[in-house]
Amino acid sequence: MNENSAFSAGVRFGGLTDRTEIKILICYLLTNAKQPLTAQNIIDTLIGQQLVNYFELQDALSHLSSQNIITEDNGVYTITEEGIDISRQLEKALPFSVKERAYKAVIEILQYENLKRQNKTSITPLEKGGFNLNCTISDCDFTLFSFDLYMPDEKSAKLAEQKFIKYGQEIFKCVLGITTENPQMYKDFLDNLNK
C-alpha cells in the first residue's frame, strides 16, 4: 500500500483517498471561500459531500496547522499566504468534480449561516404538547417581522425552522404583498416554488 494512501471509509466514488490531495483540497477550500471557516464548516463540506474520510481530514488539518500553511484559532481556520500559493499552484492536481462539489457545498453552508443570522428562530415545547416555533426578522434592535407557529412535534418544527431560515425574506415579502394588496411582491416567489 502506498504510504500516501488515505483511509477511504465514508468516501464516495471519485472522492479523495490520497493524503496530499486532501491537504490541497483544504487549501483550495479556504482560498476560494475567501473567508475563515470553522472546523464544522469544513467537516460539513468535505464529510457531508463524502469527499474525504473524517480521520484523514482531522489529520490533514493538524498537519497543515503544524506547518503554518493554515492557522487555527478557537476552531476557526484561516489560510496563510503560503497556503494560498500552494492552493493556486497545485489545485490542478485535484479532480474538477471534487473542487466543484466542495466549492458549491461550502458556499451553500456559508449562505445558510448568513441567513440564520438574519432569520432567527426558536423552538419551545408547550405544556399541553406540541411545539411553538417563533420566527423573527430583525434589523438591529427593531423587529421587522415576527410570528409564532404551532407545530405538532419537534421534527416538523425543525423542518419548518429550516424553511424559514432559507425563505424568511421571501415569506416576509409575501405577507407584505398580501397585506398591502401588491401581488407582484409574492407572485414571483410562488411561481418559482411551482417550477
Side-chain angles (χ1 to χ4, degrees):
M1 182 167 110
N2 181 345
E3 68 179 42
N4 206 35
S5 292
F7 290 115
S8 60
V11 180
R12 73 175 352 154
F13 179 76
L16 302 182
T17 57
D18 179 272
R19 289 185 171 117
T20 300
E21 287 180 343
I22 293 170
K23 292 173 194 168
I24 296 168
L25 180 60
I26 293 168
C27 292
Y28 172 83
L29 197 63
L30 284 164
T31 298
N32 289 285
K34 298 190 183 346
Q35 70 181 67
L37 298 174
T38 65
Q40 195 60 52
N41 292 151
I42 296 169
I43 290 168
D44 290 347
T45 299
L46 301 182
I47 304 302
Q49 293 296 311
Q50 298 176 317
L51 295 174
V52 301
N53 173 278
Y54 176 81
F55 299 106
E56 294 295 342
L57 173 61
Q58 293 300 328
D59 187 57
L61 287 169
S62 177
H63 184 262
L64 290 169
S65 293
S66 70
Q67 298 296 312
N68 204 33
I69 295 169
I70 62 174
T71 60
E72 184 268 333
D73 184 28
N74 290 325
V76 177
Y77 289 91
T78 306
I79 191 155
T80 64
E81 287 300 320
E82 183 182 357
I84 292 171
D85 290 342
I86 288 170
S87 172
R88 292 196 174 131
Q89 291 171 18
L90 301 177
E91 72 176 70
K92 289 182 179 151
L94 299 173
F96 176 78
S97 61
V98 169
K99 291 187 292 188
E100 182 180 43
R101 187 180 300 274
Y103 180 74
K104 283 182 179 178
V106 78
I107 294 303
E108 284 178 17
I109 287 167
L110 294 174
Q111 286 173 338
Y112 186 80
E113 284 185 355
N114 188 41
L115 288 172
K116 204 171 179 178
R117 283 190 288 276
Q118 295 172 13
N119 304 334
K120 295 182 173 62
T121 60
S122 66
I123 297 173
T124 310
L126 300 172
E127 283 182 26
K128 295 184 179 180
F131 291 80
N132 181 66
L133 170 63
N134 175 264
C135 301
T136 304
I137 299 175
S138 300
D139 182 20
C140 297
D141 294 330
F142 184 75
T143 300
L144 296 172
F145 180 60
S146 182
F147 65 89
D148 289 304
L149 191 59
Y150 169 79
M151 301 304 290
D153 55 55
E154 190 172 14
K155 183 177 180 180
S156 59
K158 287 187 180 294
L159 288 171
E161 175 185 50
Q162 290 172 355
K163 293 295 183 186
F164 179 76
I165 289 169
K166 189 171 182 180
Y167 297 115
Q169 304 297 322
E170 287 82 0
I171 293 168
F172 175 52
K173 281 167 118 176
C174 288
V175 170
L176 196 57
I178 291 167
T179 57
T180 60
E181 297 181 357
N182 183 352
Q184 196 57 47
M185 290 183 80
Y186 56 84
K187 185 179 181 312
D188 294 338
F189 174 65
L190 296 176
D191 288 345
N192 286 336
L193 280 180
N194 293 326
K195 287 182 182 178

